[in-house]
């Protein structure tokens, strides 16, 4: 592929390397340095002039550092006369700040979207936003991918004849229903009420889970409080087996350890949209790669082909 330049920030260079390997292009070098006053400076160390530039950077801890790094990468590419700048953001952490549900509260999802556009982003490639409508915060085109195809391919190795996909809440029920259709399963959802970032209550589960193989599906797992609360409610209903799956395995504050210690959880499945620390790994963890999907989306964007066809293929798989 010619006239394309792919750069990575420091958040997840391994994923960027994998994307470039599937594209058959080199990963162009990036230099990130820090002034004595703690300010960051970014230099893109390859030619960008009139090229199709892709900047790969999920917003993961430390989120603010990686965000500023990404903004500086956009600014550097724009200053280098890039033909087009596409931000490849496998995880958009600020998507959780998407509504004004308290007085005088900030809307980080919209603000950060505005910052990226102001810095020079021409379009955005994201995966499994916390709420699908968040892509409307951007004033540039957004290609919104999901990992349902990769997750479905993994779970098809099991007998799915008595399987129910359970969403922890009604907000994620649409994605859970789409995933259930892919694997030919039933769907259920928890009735959740959130009191704080790490305190939730699930009063009931709507759907049939008794004596069935349950796959708990969420978009992301951070502290794991929602999933653990859901597991308590599921146990009352007597499922035959339990597996947990998500796209973004953030696993903050020991969440992966707490989940893996649940004796009835057979497996924890996530993708590599974000890096999972090596010291957090457990025998129950399965990490699926979304590198090929991101690479194919990048290729289609570069060639002016349909990206939505990827969605159609996966939902009819």
């Amino acid at each position: 592929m010619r006239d394309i330049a792919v750069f990575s920030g420091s958040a997840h260079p391994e994923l960027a390397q994998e994307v470039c390997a599937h594209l058959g292009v080199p990963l162009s070098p990036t230099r990130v340095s820090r002034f004595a006053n703690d300010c960051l400076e970014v230099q893109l160390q390859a030619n960008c002039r009139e090229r199709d530039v892709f900047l790969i950077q999920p917003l993961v801890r430390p989120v603010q550092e990686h965000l500023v790094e990404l903004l500086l990468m956009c600014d550097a590419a724009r200053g280098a006369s890039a033909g087009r700048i596409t931000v490849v953001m496998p995880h958009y952490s600020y998507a959780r700040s998407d509504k004004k549900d308290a007085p005088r509260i900030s809307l980080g999802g919209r603000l950060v979207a505005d910052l990226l556009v102001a810095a020079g982003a021409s379009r955005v490639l994201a995966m499994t936003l916390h709420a699908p409508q968040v892509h409307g915060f951007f004033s540039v085109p957004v290609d919104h991918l999901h990992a349902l195809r990769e997750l479905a391919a993994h779970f098809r190795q099991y007998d799915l004849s008595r399987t129910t996909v359970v969403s922890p809440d009604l907000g994620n029920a649409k994605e859970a229903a789409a995933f259930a259709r892919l694997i030919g399963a039933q769907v259920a959802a928890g009735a959740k009420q959130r009191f704080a970032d790490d305190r939730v209550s699930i009063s009931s589960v709507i759907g049939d889970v008794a004596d069935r193989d349950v796959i708990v599906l969420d978009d992301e797992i951070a502290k794991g409080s929602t999933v653990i609360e859901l597991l308590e409610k599921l146990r009352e209903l007597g499922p035959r087996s339990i597996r947990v799956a998500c796209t973004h395995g953030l696993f903050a504050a020991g969440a992966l350890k707490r989940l893996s210690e649940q004796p009835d959880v057979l497996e924890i499945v996530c993708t590599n949209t974000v890096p999972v620390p090596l010291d957090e790994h457990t025998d129950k963890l399965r990490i699926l790669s979304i590198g090929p999907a991101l690479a194919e989306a990048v290729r289609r964007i570069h060639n002016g082909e349909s990206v939505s066809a990827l969605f159609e293929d996966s939902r009819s798989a």
Side-chain angles (χ1 to χ4, degrees), residues 209-224:
V209 298
D211 197 31
R212 297 184 65 84
D213 300 310
V214 165
I215 301 173
V216 175
L217 179 71
D218 209 351
D219 62 322
E220 67 178 61
I221 297 177
K223 291 186 176 181

Side-chain angles (χ1 to χ4, degrees), residues 146 148 152 156 160 163-165 173-187 217 311 314-317:
H146 59 69
L148 298 185
R156 286 194 185 107
L160 301 174
T163 297
T164 299
V165 178
K174 187 175 181 179
E175 281 298 290
F179 180 64
R181 286 195 299 272
L182 279 178
I183 63 174
Q186 294 185 19
V187 65
L217 179 71
F311 312 151
S314 63
R315 289 186 185 273
S316 61

Side-chain angles (χ1 to χ4, degrees), residues 135-162:
H135 77 259
F137 287 170
F138 292 86
S139 57
V140 295
V142 175
D143 292 303
H144 185 196
L145 305 181
H146 59 69
L148 298 185
R149 176 174 56 187
E150 288 75 15
L151 291 169
H154 172 80
F155 282 103
R156 286 194 185 107
Q157 66 182 295
Y158 304 119
D159 177 7
L160 301 174
S161 59
R162 289 188 57 81

